[in-house]
Amino acid sequence: MFAADIRDFVARQGLAGAVVVNVASTEPAPADGSLPPSSLYAAAALRAGCPYVNFTPSTGLHHPALAALAESSGLPYAGRDGKTGQTLLRSVLGPMFLQRALAVRAWSGTNLLGGGDGAALADPAAAAAKNAGKERVLADTLGAAPEGEVHIDDVPALGDWKTAWDHIAFDGFLGSRMILQTIWQGCDSALAAPLVLDLARLAVRAREKGLSGPLGELGFYFKDPVGDGPSSLAEQYTELKRFADRLRDDAETHEAHR
Amino acid sequence: MFAADIRDFVARQGLAGAVVVNVASTEPAPADGSLPPSSLYAAAALRAGCPYVNFTPSTGLHHPALAALAESSGLPYAGRDGKTGQTLLRSVLGPMFLQRALAVRAWSGTNLLGGGDGAALADPAAAAAKNAGKERVLADTLGAAPEGEVHIDDVPALGDWKTAWDHIAFDGFLGSRMILQTIWQGCDSALAAPLVLDLARLAVRAREKGLSGPLGELGFYFKDPVGDGPSSLAEQYTELKRFADRLRDDAETHEAHR
Amino acid sequence: MFAADIRDFVARQGLAGAVVVNVASTEPAPADGSLPPSSLYAAAALRAGCPYVNFTPSTGLHHPALAALAESSGLPYAGRDGKTGQTLLRSVLGPMFLQRALAVRAWSGTNLLGGGDGAALADPAAAAAKNAGKERVLADTLGAAPEGEVHIDDVPALGDWKTAWDHIAFDGFLGSRMILQTIWQGCDSALAAPLVLDLARLAVRAREKGLSGPLGELGFYFKDPVGDGPSSLAEQYTELKRFADRLRDDAETHEAHR
Amino acid sequence: MFAADIRDFVARQGLAGAVVVNVASTEPAPADGSLPPSSLYAAAALRAGCPYVNFTPSTGLHHPALAALAESSGLPYAGRDGKTGQTLLRSVLGPMFLQRALAVRAWSGTNLLGGGDGAALADPAAAAAKNAGKERVLADTLGAAPEGEVHIDDVPALGDWKTAWDHIAFDGFLGSRMILQTIWQGCDSALAAPLVLDLARLAVRAREKGLSGPLGELGFYFKDPVGDGPSSLAEQYTELKRFADRLRDDAETHEAHR
């Protein structure tokens, strides 16, 4: 039914095609095997012949019941969970500590945000889904998860503005204790919008080039990327540029063939 | 005379050789063409047959009058200005903003430190030499130097501990203004020590392998590296690992030849 | 039984008397009417003829079942919950906003601490008891509790050092939004020790002067003071000085009578 | 001539009177004995029969050559240098450290601001005039000026928004070193406007009541108040409320006399 809605939309608007991007509020991790709403929409996207991008930590295609469909659809997909603020920072700071052999002992964080996102994440189950992605970035870039918690507070007075404080305790030579703190004051929707535009274009282009399955080359955009690419932002950027070149080269090849 | 001192030292201690690392307090940029003390010591190192590493922003070998000596010595050298704290951070944050197309409008910083380093940098000429390196990192990683100043305050009460506050104003989608602030509380000597050990070992090894001239592959360690390598820490790290592999491979080849 | 222990201690040590100060880890708020350990010790102190000071948020004498004993004992007592760090700051910043008619919209805070205190407060019930005092200070100084939460995280890597981050969103003229953030890095035991010494001396002196019941004049030291004194630190300090003068004047009067 | 302009203005507008408030950009401290522009305007205000308020650190009436005029004018005046942001904070934090016997070892600060104010304060002479007031507040509230500098940077990209970072190193029990940092993000004009309105009303009312000379009771508003009132904000507020009551009571007395 969702799939029919998408096909109707494409037909009514006279479009060549569509790409489905999930930017809805984070949903709680689903109980046992049931399919959450984000998965129903993801399946509909593929059934309607659309590439799919999951910009949230919600389940989407990340569910065993959808593995066969994802495989047989012949469509490209990407996700999960856009890396816009605190986690973006973590994905460059984590590698810095590792490369300098500075042992991170504790990494703690608090996020304050209002707007719909704050209210959605005031639900502990939704926050748990969100935090899993944040922690994965640390564990992946540092080799192991350090001590420390992440809080997400709904503070309606802040509206769409988010403040993220991070406190990192690390040890230098001979165990000397040092501290780095970061304070990020950003607007998530303004940070997400250009990434969503990029992703929509890249997904469409990937489909045009006949690519299918998980687009692991897009890890630059995500907290918990599909595939098994690198976790440091710098390496993800190198991979993204290589991928973009490939999509472009293909294009030139293609045009030469006409 | 300095060169004779170094040769005597090596002889008296029965050493196979030595490497000279400048970790003295920053000296003011030299007036016109005169050779400052750091350059006299650097020249002495080469004359005594020692690889030379300049861990400070002082002139060292970076002087036209020493170009011929540096070339003819057949020795490797590296520098300038160890990247331990605030600039280390800048070398990972700068590329992040660039890769995400977040336009940095202003990058301001204040450093508080006591100890001998704080006192030396209370001299405006020494501070100017130090700040030139910090600003170069931003200009190199961002493409152009943003607005903003850097202050270095001598605060004896802080002893060997340094606090660096950075305030970065950047613009996101549709010009939305956002702010990142970082507070780094570190001990410069504990941060510098392992880098100095690395550099001494790498310089000795480079000499054993017959390398000479500027070791551009060591940009990972410096604010203002010799040669023209990349300015982002992640790319510098990749280059360093490749260089280390080369030094190791050479070793194996060498041993195979015995 | 506890009371006998205290009397024995005084007798064995040949002391003129003792004062009992509760500096044990915070206990969870007690279920219904049962007497928690802190109350059993508080009652024992009074039965042993000792002034009592509760430096923690635990119940202590703050229990209906102990009201009659507190009254009949003829002894002075003080509490609750020493104001050492984040709340100390709040008790001077809150009045500042109020006096300048700057409307506080949200006040959020995160505390990171290791040591025994961090472990004790990782228990949500103990943290709830602790946070109640922190929030009371804001509600009392601002007139109403603003939006915002307080987190207490156990971060063993920090040992006895505590870091408290506060984020305050307030509105100025014509609703212009402004932000104050504070970062407090302190050692709770070093902050508490001199307050505990003060309190022990003041409580003994109060008893010598024949004072009994709640010492409301000691609000300077507490998050949730007995009695109904002022909540701004400045006014509490004025009251404390007046009280100290009174204790001293009494002394002089007394000596004059000899 | 300025005085005639003011009298003309009052006459043309049909006003009962006027009050002159200096909110112009900070001027450099004047060389030797010459009268700077702010003093010429201040003198004109008194000659035109207007109460005068100096909301800036500029000289205004604070000049020996104007002492006789100030005395003979029979008019009330107030100043200097509105206390809106960083110094407001310092005037509540300073007393807190003093009252808790926490020895402040160093107090360092950096202010980033754009707009006209930033440009004016990029002039070192103007900045020196501004900083003198900030340092006086610390010296007055702490008893002695601690180590540390204050920087004021012109950062045009920040527009009318100001960010002030303060770093305070203090010692607790047995010399344990602790740190407080504050970050104030405010809009100076929105902070100043209501204070200016208050001051204009209070000055007019003071004149109606026949008060003349320096209004020392208005120290609540200023970094460097005329007269010799208290320096802690809390005491200044108490004094302000008492003064406001006096102005109100006088009014009632006055009306009763009609």
Side-chain angles (χ1 to χ4, degrees), chain C residues 1-68:
Chain C
M1 195 178 87
F2 292 150
D5 286 352
I6 298 171
R7 275 197 215 96
D8 280 0
F9 172 79
V10 170
R12 276 201 322 274
Q13 305 287 330
L15 306 175
V19 52
V20 172
V21 183
N22 179 9
V23 290
S25 289
T26 299
E27 71 190 8
D32 43 65
S34 71
L35 275 182
S38 67
S39 296
L40 299 179
Y41 280 101
L46 299 185
R47 287 202 185 98
C50 300
Y52 173 78
V53 177
N54 187 358
F55 203 76
T56 77
S58 300
T59 305
L61 288 179
H62 200 76
H63 195 286
L66 299 183

Side-chain angles (χ1 to χ4, degrees), chain C residues 83 100 179 181 183 220, chain D residues 83 100 181 183 185 220:
Chain C
K83 190 160 64 184
R100 282 294 169 105
I179 304 284
Q181 295 176 78
I183 299 173
F220 179 73
Chain D
K83 190 162 60 186
R100 281 294 170 105
Q181 295 177 78
I183 299 173
Q185 294 169 304
F220 179 72

